Amino acid sequence: MAGAVTQSGVVVQNIERADKDIIAALGACGVATVHEAQGRKGLLASYMRPIYSGARIAGSAVTISAPPGDNWMVHVAIEQVQAGDMLVLAPTSPCEDGYFGDLLATSMQARGGIGLVIDAGVRDVRDLTEMGFPVWSKAVFAQGTVKETLGSVNVPVVCANQLVNPGDIIVADDDGVCVVRREEAEAVLETARAREAAEEDKRKRLAAGELGLDIYNMRGRLTDKGLKYV
Amino acid sequence: MAGAVTQSGVVVQNIERADKDIIAALGACGVATVHEAQGRKGLLASYMRPIYSGARIAGSAVTISAPPGDNWMVHVAIEQVQAGDMLVLAPTSPCEDGYFGDLLATSMQARGGIGLVIDAGVRDVRDLTEMGFPVWSKAVFAQGTVKETLGSVNVPVVCANQLVNPGDIIVADDDGVCVVRREEAEAVLETARAREAAEEDKRKRLAAGELGLDIYNMRGRLTDKGLKYV
Amino acid sequence: MAGAVTQSGVVVQNIERADKDIIAALGACGVATVHEAQGRKGLLASYMRPIYSGARIAGSAVTISAPPGDNWMVHVAIEQVQAGDMLVLAPTSPCEDGYFGDLLATSMQARGGIGLVIDAGVRDVRDLTEMGFPVWSKAVFAQGTVKETLGSVNVPVVCANQLVNPGDIIVADDDGVCVVRREEAEAVLETARAREAAEEDKRKRLAAGELGLDIYNMRGRLTDKGLKYV
Amino acid sequence: MAGAVTQSGVVVQNIERADKDIIAALGACGVATVHEAQGRKGLLASYMRPIYSGARIAGSAVTISAPPGDNWMVHVAIEQVQAGDMLVLAPTSPCEDGYFGDLLATSMQARGGIGLVIDAGVRDVRDLTEMGFPVWSKAVFAQGTVKETLGSVNVPVVCANQLVNPGDIIVADDDGVCVVRREEAEAVLETARAREAAEEDKRKRLAAGELGLDIYNMRGRLTDKGLKYV
Amino acid sequence: MAGAVTQSGVVVQNIERADKDIIAALGACGVATVHEAQGRKGLLASYMRPIYSGARIAGSAVTISAPPGDNWMVHVAIEQVQAGDMLVLAPTSPCEDGYFGDLLATSMQARGGIGLVIDAGVRDVRDLTEMGFPVWSKAVFAQGTVKETLGSVNVPVVCANQLVNPGDIIVADDDGVCVVRREEAEAVLETARAREAAEEDKRKRLAAGELGLDIYNMRGRLTDKGLKYV
Amino acid sequence: MAGAVTQSGVVVQNIERADKDIIAALGACGVATVHEAQGRKGLLASYMRPIYSGARIAGSAVTISAPPGDNWMVHVAIEQVQAGDMLVLAPTSPCEDGYFGDLLATSMQARGGIGLVIDAGVRDVRDLTEMGFPVWSKAVFAQGTVKETLGSVNVPVVCANQLVNPGDIIVADDDGVCVVRREEAEAVLETARAREAAEEDKRKRLAAGELGLDIYNMRGRLTDKGLKYV
């Protein structure tokens, strides 16, 4: 669940986006690494699951605050989409309806949009899978929606328990979804790469049979805390 | 959850079924289209998920009202199954037990049964997948059941929040499960086909970059409602 | 959820394990059969799902009781792992955090560990899938953990509603997870094999079109209970 | 969750109601007794909870099928309410929004309406409690609704997993909510009264220290099933 | 669930608060009215329930971002509490542990703190009720916590799906919890009072038997949408 | 959920119980204190809620492992109840049915039984409240049960995620339910009393305005961890 943080009935047309190379590099790092690199923040709730396995992408957030059971604003939002963007939809109260299907995905792809994160339902998942249009959602549900009530586009929203600003970077893969502040993207990427490098060395040592207890020097501190071997 | 709408301990032997060609055609349309075509009704709850991806079928419902943790009536129901039928099981109170596994699926296939919709659990899902016997269920759970208490077969049931009458058409795919009244099947199919034709045109226009805002003439009404671009 | 049944801050180093051939044979039988063979007990809750389909394994439990959001004890536990062991982690209060990822899986595989059952979250699932390291978990969630508070290793734990003792046999496949007491393993295997043999005969008869109603002689008892055909 | 069983945009004005004395008498019996008396059917899901303790009522159902987040049809329905009626609202897809508050309750009471059963949210619960207007709901949630889309009034609905026809009797108390078919009301009442009489005798014997094992003659059958005292 | 929107390990000491009279007046209006008055935004999730009925308060938010199962920051936060403040605690990943009990409530009351909103668990609820210290929480759970890992105090947090900034006004009653931006408080109050005045007139008309259909002039628009009376 | 840890169809008649004075004293301490006193273990899941507020009791566990939807074993168990005992019922798979109502409570009270802890449903809650018979349950649900299948009495069970042995002490109040091992009861009581004494002093200091930060000497350690005041 979520809802716009600000007022309703507004479309913000010019949003700032991060550098495309940084976005792509964050996507390559993946959710777990990026999440750690930015101090363990920004993860959307664990109920946000991909409709198919194997996608790993990152894009700029075009945000949607939508009433329950009303997908009108999705059409409005797609006009704001640029190449490399992802839609992030937060209903104003909890809803599982299928706001999005293959026609809207066709429209997204025509404009260069690359994915959807929705704290509600999605449908036509077989078609979306064939189209290679990844979606992370709370539910798969064919329930249709109406087009009667305004919401907003490109305002800050709370989606699956995280604040997402328009233009923030969304990183998504089989582990879920993570949001990175636009202004922190470069610093997070740097930390993520350092983390990856450090992990590579540890992976080799662990694969060779060394224990984390020794690699990370944990034994002394465990003893200090009172751990007893019996 | 669900439960028989009428009395317990009854097996209705002769139920009417829809025309096989109509059923097949509804199956080809899929859940989302059929659901829209019949006025956005008939969808089972979103927690009803397929045990494997890719199945898209339709069949006539042979309904089962069963006590929690008791699968005796499944055996009774299978005798009533004809080629093209699907079992629809609703427990009389919420239950996740595994009422159904590979032996019962073998029996179903021997009689021409093509699938199961169960507001409870299923087991042997690896075998069922290899057999190509699709199941939409609330849970995968190996918990065994007993055979002690009567339920009913081919009475109206409420399954995952929808009323299902024996002989109604069940349409099921990766999007979930939808029920179509037997007497409405032909009209729903006609509408579904018209919808598919209309969608094909829209898909082409959307793929060419036209916006839904323009194709559906939404701009004026959005302005009337007060949408502001900033 | 779960928690250690006994005290905290303890690592039991020498645990007894069942015979490797018995363990392997139980794994080959699979969860549903083993669960039935031991009198329908030992199934972990249905929310414990595999991160990928198709794995069917059995191993000796190395148990972990861990505080919420703290994976320190995983490192401690891996030192206790022998070839063929599985980790079984129960947090002391409900938690979805990602206690385990690809580095720990690398360490497990280096020591011969073959899988993880965790009543919490797991991350790096794409990597784990590629590594062929199966995990059954309550959630997929990248949320990081700390290393600050002691738990225990190889004490009895309640994991997803079942008591698991260190050295018990864990059987896991697409149906979920089942625990077998070490001291009952041989007897359970014998019953499971007898059950499989009996099922084979029944499968043939059902495939040939015979009804369960007849194979299991149910008709008389159903009539006695008052079942009415109309 | 639920949804109309039939078409949308319809208000049925003349519905049949059961005899007022029978309804009152069913209310006096309470949910558990009525549920047993009609063969253990008709109970709404356990998540339907009263907003305050102690109410025990029965009334004729005026049903509402409403879109998610849209309470327009509640206004339409209240015009159809007669003295002794209860509203039964089922959203067409799962929703927790607060469709109903103190103003609508004021209107209900002005027309003789006595309560609400809603598979969604309610608000102003402190006021409703002071007014003595009982509500059984899925949620307490102040989230506001719109008035944009039609639903239907007095059509069959599935509410919290039970089919409710307009004019059916709703019995509700601290145990939850039960629906009784209008045409079965008299027979159910007769059985319920017989059950109450029989229970009274049993209550006395149990209070005097006799065991259910003896009152219901269970010992022999338990032995036959193999119960062992150790 | 929630988590700090910014970095960890920080205590912001000087936060701005709204005018005490405005806060008190918002509290008197209650959650439903305030929520409507600010354009239907700001409601925390419906699972946030009061530990006892009848409290209706408003206060300035002192926010806490805390690790799962670690209540150290509550002690840190209480030092920042002034008369009329409420604590708002959001764990960095989902947690039900009992972060707060009667000792901490004693400390809060000693400093003039008036309540707690916690997207996790609370304990000692009988004592808290006797003390008249209201809490809105996700769970009542006695599970103890540790004091090992830093969080932050008075940073923006997402609590039960809403963004809460330090110094925002929290309004809470039996309907749940609503957050009002500090800078919007005066305007919201004005609208809320106008709404209350308007409701008073409508309440009288509804109590006299007039229908909402007429008071709000709905009949024409319903006909235009196609509503049919049969 | 839960299930017997051992075999089915068994009634253990002679179980050991703790000293009545110790049990009573543990009950007076309450759940939160006892839970802390025994090292933060033994708490049943937070979904176990009392049917009415204010009860605070402790008793010896008479355990029941029962099939889903079958309350036969409750009758068997009551014969084993002695003055001061509590029933603890764990279904063998998840179930919300109403296993227990006012007649069984009458029988319990006649034998000196003082309460019920049930990982399933209860009904007749208004009557139970009037009788002063407290119940902690997963659900209030009137759904009736059958008497067809054996379970066991006085075997170890896992109830709401905790292992409960017959004769263990159950402590229950508004905070939930906690189990204490019979053999640890005296030691736990001693620690609980020491804890209560220590809390009394702290309560006075906190009430006088001292901060936990100072009473517990936290400031240095917080600084060491890097907490920053800004």
Side-chain angles (χ1 to χ4, degrees):
Chain A
M1 195 188 71
V5 174
T6 54
Q7 74 276 41
S8 175
V10 171
V11 183
V12 178
Q13 291 182 282
N14 295 311
I15 63 170
E16 294 191 65
R17 291 169 173 83
D19 179 85
K20 281 194 189 308
D21 291 342
I22 292 175
I23 296 173
L26 285 168
C29 291
V31 166
T33 297
V34 167
H35 161 69
E36 287 285 343
Q38 67 178 347
R40 295 183 182 168
K41 66 178 187 189
L43 262 191
L44 275 65
S46 68
Y47 62 73
M48 297 296 286
R49 300 302 303 142
I51 57 168
Y52 59 85
S53 294
R56 170 168 284 188
I57 65 172
S60 297
V62 168
T63 64
I64 305 172
S65 169
D70 193 312
N71 79 340
W72 211 4
M73 286 303 109
V74 180
H75 289 275
V76 173
I78 289 177
E79 189 176 26
Q80 306 304 320
V81 166
Q82 299 181 2
D85 284 353
M86 294 178 70
L87 292 178
V88 176
L89 189 151
T92 53
S93 60
C95 184
E96 294 191 344
D97 289 356
Y99 286 73
F100 192 94
D102 71 322
L103 286 182
L104 287 165
T106 300
S107 186
M108 276 291 282
Q109 287 190 328
R111 300 185 74 80
I114 60 169
L116 167 69
V117 171
I118 179 165
D119 193 0
V122 63
R123 63 184 187 181
D124 301 327
V125 296
R126 194 167 76 159
D127 297 325
L128 296 176
T129 303
E130 285 171 7
M131 293 169 67
F133 189 87
V135 177
W136 287 259
S137 72
K138 179 179 169 187
V140 173
F141 198 33
Q143 181 72 36
T145 52
V146 298
K147 291 168 183 59
E148 294 286 352
T149 306
L150 298 185
S152 288
V153 171
N154 279 334
V155 295
V157 296
V158 174
C159 181
N161 306 322
Q162 289 295 342
L163 180 68
V164 179
N165 301 303
D168 280 348
I169 294 94
I170 302 297
V171 183
D173 62 18
D174 292 348
D175 280 354
V177 183
C178 188
V179 58
V180 178
R181 299 282 163 256
R182 186 178 52 78
E183 53 272 28
E184 300 175 5
E186 193 164 358
V188 169
L189 177 58
E190 200 172 335
T191 313
R193 280 176 168 160
R195 188 178 168 87
E196 280 192 330
E199 283 198 348
E200 198 42 45
D201 173 62
K202 279 165 200 153
R203 186 174 291 108
K204 281 179 193 154
R205 294 173 66 183
L206 292 166
E210 265 192 273
L211 286 168
L213 289 176
D214 298 312
I215 295 175
Y216 304 102
N217 279 316
M218 292 170 172
R219 294 189 192 273
R221 202 163 150 252
L222 285 165
T223 303
D224 292 349
K225 289 265 185 177
L227 189 66
K228 282 187 179 49
Y229 285 81
V230 297
Chain B
M1 194 188 71
V5 174
T6 53
Q7 72 277 40
S8 175
V10 171
V11 182
V12 178
Q13 292 181 280
N14 295 311
I15 63 170
E16 293 191 64
R17 291 169 174 83
D19 178 86
K20 281 193 189 308
D21 291 341
I22 292 175
I23 296 173
L26 285 169
C29 292
V31 167
T33 297
V34 166
H35 162 67
E36 287 284 344
Q38 67 178 347
R40 295 183 180 170
K41 65 179 188 188
L43 264 189
L44 275 65
S46 68
Y47 61 72
M48 297 295 287
R49 300 301 304 142
I51 57 168
Y52 59 85
S53 294
R56 171 167 284 186
I57 65 171
S60 297
V62 168
T63 64
I64 305 172
S65 168
D70 193 313
N71 78 342
W72 211 4
M73 287 301 110
V74 179
H75 289 274
V76 174
I78 289 177
E79 188 176 28
Q80 307 304 320
V81 166
Q82 300 181 3
D85 284 351
M86 294 178 70
L87 293 178
V88 176
L89 188 150
T92 54
S93 61
C95 184
E96 293 192 344
D97 289 355
Y99 286 73
F100 191 94
D102 72 321
L103 285 182
L104 287 165
T106 300
S107 187
M108 275 292 282
Q109 288 189 329
R111 302 185 72 80
I114 60 170
L116 167 69
V117 171
I118 179 165
D119 194 0
V122 62
R123 63 184 187 181
D124 301 327
V125 296
R126 193 167 79 160
D127 296 325
L128 297 177
T129 302
E130 285 171 7
M131 293 169 67
F133 189 86
V135 177
W136 288 259
S137 71
K138 178 179 169 187
V140 173
F141 197 34
Q143 181 72 37
T145 51
V146 297
K147 290 168 185 59
E148 293 287 353
T149 307
L150 297 186
S152 288
V153 172
N154 279 334
V155 296
V157 295
V158 174
C159 180
N161 305 320
Q162 290 294 344
L163 180 68
V164 180
N165 301 302
D168 281 348
I169 294 94
I170 301 297
V171 184
D173 63 18
D174 292 348
D175 281 353
V177 184
C178 188
V179 58
V180 178
R181 297 283 163 257
R182 186 178 51 79
E183 53 272 26
E184 299 175 6
E186 191 163 1
V188 169
L189 176 58
E190 199 172 336
T191 312
R193 280 175 167 162
R195 188 179 168 87
E196 281 192 327
E199 282 198 348
E200 198 43 43
D201 173 61
K202 279 164 200 154
R203 187 174 290 108
K204 282 179 193 157
R205 294 173 66 183
L206 292 165
E210 267 192 274
L211 286 167
L213 289 178
D214 298 312
I215 295 176
Y216 303 103
N217 279 316
M218 292 171 173
R219 293 189 193 272
R221 203 163 148 253
L222 285 165
T223 304
D224 292 350
K225 288 266 186 177
L227 189 66
K228 284 188 180 46
Y229 285 82
V230 297
Chain C
M1 194 188 73
V5 175
T6 54
Q7 73 276 40
S8 175
V10 171
V11 183
V12 178
Q13 292 182 281
N14 295 311
I15 63 170
E16 293 191 67
R17 293 170 173 82
D19 179 86
K20 280 193 191 308
D21 292 341
I22 292 175
I23 296 173
L26 285 168
C29 291
V31 168
T33 296
V34 167
H35 162 67
E36 287 284 343
Q38 69 178 345
R40 298 183 179 169
K41 67 178 187 187
L43 264 191
L44 275 66
S46 66
Y47 62 73
M48 297 296 285
R49 301 301 304 143
I51 58 168
Y52 58 84
S53 295
R56 170 168 285 187
I57 65 172
S60 297
V62 168
T63 63
I64 306 172
S65 169
D70 193 313
N71 78 342
W72 211 4
M73 286 303 110
V74 180
H75 289 275
V76 174
I78 288 176
E79 188 175 29
Q80 307 304 320
V81 166
Q82 299 181 2
D85 284 353
M86 295 177 70
L87 292 177
V88 176
L89 187 150
T92 54
S93 61
C95 185
E96 293 192 344
D97 289 356
Y99 286 74
F100 191 95
D102 71 322
L103 286 181
L104 287 165
T106 300
S107 186
M108 275 291 283
Q109 287 189 330
R111 299 185 75 79
I114 59 169
L116 167 69
V117 170
I118 179 166
D119 194 0
V122 64
R123 63 185 188 179
D124 301 326
V125 295
R126 195 167 75 159
D127 296 326
L128 297 176
T129 302
E130 285 170 7
M131 294 168 67
F133 189 87
V135 177
W136 287 258
S137 72
K138 179 179 167 185
V140 173
F141 198 34
Q143 181 72 39
T145 51
V146 298
K147 290 168 184 59
E148 294 286 353
T149 307
L150 297 185
S152 288
V153 171
N154 279 333
V155 296
V157 296
V158 175
C159 181
N161 306 321
Q162 290 294 343
L163 180 68
V164 180
N165 301 301
D168 281 347
I169 294 95
I170 302 295
V171 183
D173 62 19
D174 292 348
D175 281 352
V177 184
C178 188
V179 58
V180 178
R181 298 281 163 258
R182 186 179 51 79
E183 53 272 28
E184 299 175 7
E186 191 163 0
V188 170
L189 176 59
E190 197 172 338
T191 313
R193 280 176 166 161
R195 188 177 168 87
E196 281 191 328
E199 282 199 347
E200 197 43 44
D201 173 62
K202 278 165 200 155
R203 186 174 290 108
K204 282 178 193 155
R205 292 172 67 182
L206 292 166
E210 266 192 274
L211 286 167
L213 289 178
D214 298 313
I215 295 176
Y216 304 103
N217 279 316
M218 292 171 172
R219 294 188 193 273
R221 203 163 148 253
L222 285 165
T223 304
D224 292 349
K225 289 265 186 176
L227 190 65
K228 282 187 180 50
Y229 285 81
V230 296
Chain D
M1 194 188 70
V5 175
T6 54
Q7 73 277 41
S8 175
V10 170
V11 182
V12 178
Q13 291 182 282
N14 295 310
I15 63 170
E16 292 192 66
R17 290 168 174 83
D19 178 85
K20 281 193 190 308
D21 291 342
I22 292 175
I23 296 173
L26 285 169
C29 291
V31 166
T33 296
V34 167
H35 162 68
E36 287 284 345
Q38 67 178 349
R40 295 181 181 171
K41 67 179 187 187
L43 263 190
L44 274 67
S46 67
Y47 61 73
M48 297 296 286
R49 299 301 303 142
I51 58 169
Y52 59 84
S53 294
R56 169 168 285 187
I57 65 172
S60 297
V62 168
T63 63
I64 304 171
S65 169
D70 193 312
N71 78 342
W72 211 4
M73 287 302 110
V74 180
H75 288 275
V76 173
I78 289 177
E79 189 176 27
Q80 307 305 321
V81 165
Q82 298 182 2
D85 284 353
M86 295 177 69
L87 292 178
V88 176
L89 188 149
T92 53
S93 61
C95 185
E96 293 191 344
D97 289 357
Y99 285 75
F100 191 95
D102 72 321
L103 286 182
L104 286 166
T106 300
S107 186
M108 275 292 282
Q109 287 189 330
R111 301 186 73 80
I114 60 170
L116 167 69
V117 171
I118 179 167
D119 193 0
V122 62
R123 63 185 188 181
D124 301 327
V125 296
R126 193 168 78 160
D127 297 325
L128 297 177
T129 303
E130 286 171 6
M131 294 168 68
F133 189 87
V135 177
W136 288 258
S137 72
K138 179 179 168 186
V140 174
F141 197 35
Q143 181 72 37
T145 51
V146 297
K147 291 167 182 61
E148 294 286 352
T149 307
L150 298 186
S152 288
V153 171
N154 279 334
V155 295
V157 296
V158 174
C159 182
N161 305 322
Q162 289 294 343
L163 180 68
V164 180
N165 301 301
D168 280 348
I169 294 94
I170 301 296
V171 183
D173 62 20
D174 292 349
D175 281 353
V177 183
C178 188
V179 58
V180 178
R181 297 282 163 256
R182 186 178 52 77
E183 53 271 28
E184 299 175 5
E186 193 163 0
V188 169
L189 177 58
E190 199 171 335
T191 313
R193 281 176 166 159
R195 187 177 168 89
E196 281 191 328
E199 283 198 346
E200 198 42 44
D201 173 63
K202 279 165 201 154
R203 186 174 290 107
K204 281 179 193 155
R205 294 172 66 182
L206 292 165
E210 264 190 273
L211 286 168
L213 288 178
D214 298 312
I215 295 175
Y216 304 103
N217 279 314
M218 292 170 173
R219 293 189 193 273
R221 204 165 147 251
L222 285 165
T223 304
D224 292 348
K225 289 266 186 178
L227 190 66
K228 284 187 178 49
Y229 286 81
V230 295
Chain E
M1 193 188 72
V5 175
T6 54
Q7 73 276 43
S8 176
V10 171
V11 183
V12 178
Q13 291 182 283
N14 295 311
I15 63 169
E16 293 192 67
R17 290 170 174 82
D19 178 85
K20 280 195 188 309
D21 292 341
I22 291 175
I23 296 173
L26 285 169
C29 290
V31 167
T33 296
V34 167
H35 161 69
E36 287 284 344
Q38 67 179 348
R40 295 182 180 169
K41 65 179 189 189
L43 264 190
L44 275 66
S46 67
Y47 62 72
M48 297 295 286
R49 300 302 302 143
I51 58 168
Y52 57 85
S53 295
R56 170 169 285 188
I57 65 171
S60 296
V62 168
T63 63
I64 305 171
S65 169
D70 192 313
N71 79 342
W72 211 4
M73 287 302 111
V74 180
H75 289 274
V76 173
I78 289 177
E79 189 177 25
Q80 307 304 321
V81 166
Q82 299 182 1
D85 284 353
M86 295 177 69
L87 293 179
V88 176
L89 188 150
T92 54
S93 61
C95 184
E96 294 192 342
D97 289 357
Y99 286 74
F100 192 95
D102 73 321
L103 285 181
L104 286 166
T106 300
S107 186
M108 274 292 282
Q109 287 190 328
R111 300 186 73 79
I114 61 170
L116 167 69
V117 171
I118 179 165
D119 194 1
V122 63
R123 64 185 188 181
D124 300 327
V125 296
R126 193 167 78 161
D127 297 325
L128 296 177
T129 302
E130 284 170 7
M131 293 167 69
F133 189 86
V135 178
W136 287 259
S137 71
K138 178 179 168 186
V140 173
F141 198 34
Q143 181 72 37
T145 51
V146 298
K147 291 168 184 58
E148 294 287 353
T149 307
L150 298 185
S152 288
V153 172
N154 279 333
V155 295
V157 295
V158 174
C159 181
N161 306 321
Q162 290 294 343
L163 180 69
V164 180
N165 301 301
D168 281 347
I169 294 95
I170 301 296
V171 183
D173 63 18
D174 292 348
D175 281 353
V177 183
C178 188
V179 59
V180 178
R181 297 282 163 256
R182 186 179 52 77
E183 53 273 27
E184 299 175 5
E186 192 163 1
V188 169
L189 177 58
E190 199 172 334
T191 312
R193 279 175 168 161
R195 188 178 168 88
E196 280 191 327
E199 282 199 346
E200 197 44 42
D201 173 62
K202 277 165 202 156
R203 187 175 290 107
K204 281 178 192 156
R205 292 173 68 183
L206 291 166
E210 265 192 273
L211 286 167
L213 289 178
D214 298 313
I215 295 175
Y216 304 104
N217 279 316
M218 292 170 172
R219 293 189 192 272
R221 206 166 146 249
L222 284 165
T223 303
D224 291 351
K225 288 267 187 177
L227 189 67
K228 283 188 179 49
Y229 286 83
V230 296
Chain F
M1 194 187 72
V5 175
T6 53
Q7 73 277 41
S8 176
V10 170
V11 183
V12 177
Q13 292 182 282
N14 295 313
I15 63 171
E16 291 191 67
R17 292 169 174 81
D19 178 87
K20 282 194 190 308
D21 292 340
I22 292 175
I23 296 173
L26 285 169
C29 292
V31 167
T33 297
V34 167
H35 162 69
E36 288 283 346
Q38 68 179 346
R40 296 183 181 169
K41 67 177 188 188
L43 264 191
L44 275 65
S46 68
Y47 63 73
M48 296 296 286
R49 300 302 303 142
I51 58 168
Y52 59 85
S53 294
R56 171 168 284 186
I57 65 172
S60 297
V62 169
T63 63
I64 305 171
S65 169
D70 193 312
N71 79 341
W72 211 3
M73 287 301 111
V74 180
H75 289 275
V76 173
I78 289 177
E79 188 176 27
Q80 307 304 321
V81 166
Q82 299 182 3
D85 284 353
M86 295 177 69
L87 292 178
V88 176
L89 188 150
T92 53
S93 60
C95 185
E96 294 191 342
D97 288 356
Y99 286 75
F100 191 94
D102 72 322
L103 286 182
L104 287 165
T106 300
S107 186
M108 275 291 283
Q109 288 190 329
R111 299 186 74 80
I114 60 169
L116 166 69
V117 171
I118 179 166
D119 194 0
V122 63
R123 63 186 188 180
D124 301 326
V125 295
R126 193 167 78 160
D127 297 325
L128 297 176
T129 303
E130 285 170 7
M131 294 168 68
F133 188 87
V135 177
W136 288 259
S137 71
K138 179 180 169 187
V140 173
F141 198 33
Q143 182 72 37
T145 51
V146 297
K147 290 167 183 62
E148 295 286 353
T149 307
L150 297 185
S152 288
V153 171
N154 279 333
V155 295
V157 295
V158 174
C159 182
N161 306 321
Q162 290 293 344
L163 181 68
V164 180
N165 301 303
D168 280 347
I169 294 95
I170 302 295
V171 183
D173 62 19
D174 292 348
D175 280 353
V177 183
C178 188
V179 58
V180 178
R181 297 283 163 255
R182 186 178 52 79
E183 53 272 27
E184 299 175 4
E186 192 162 0
V188 170
L189 177 58
E190 198 172 336
T191 313
R193 279 176 167 159
R195 188 177 168 88
E196 280 192 327
E199 282 199 347
E200 198 42 43
D201 173 61
K202 279 165 201 154
R203 187 174 290 108
K204 281 178 192 154
R205 294 173 66 183
L206 291 165
E210 265 191 275
L211 287 167
L213 289 177
D214 298 313
I215 297 176
Y216 303 104
N217 279 318
M218 293 171 172
R219 293 188 193 274
R221 206 166 146 250
L222 285 166
T223 303
D224 292 349
K225 288 267 186 176
L227 190 66
K228 283 187 179 47
Y229 286 81
V230 297

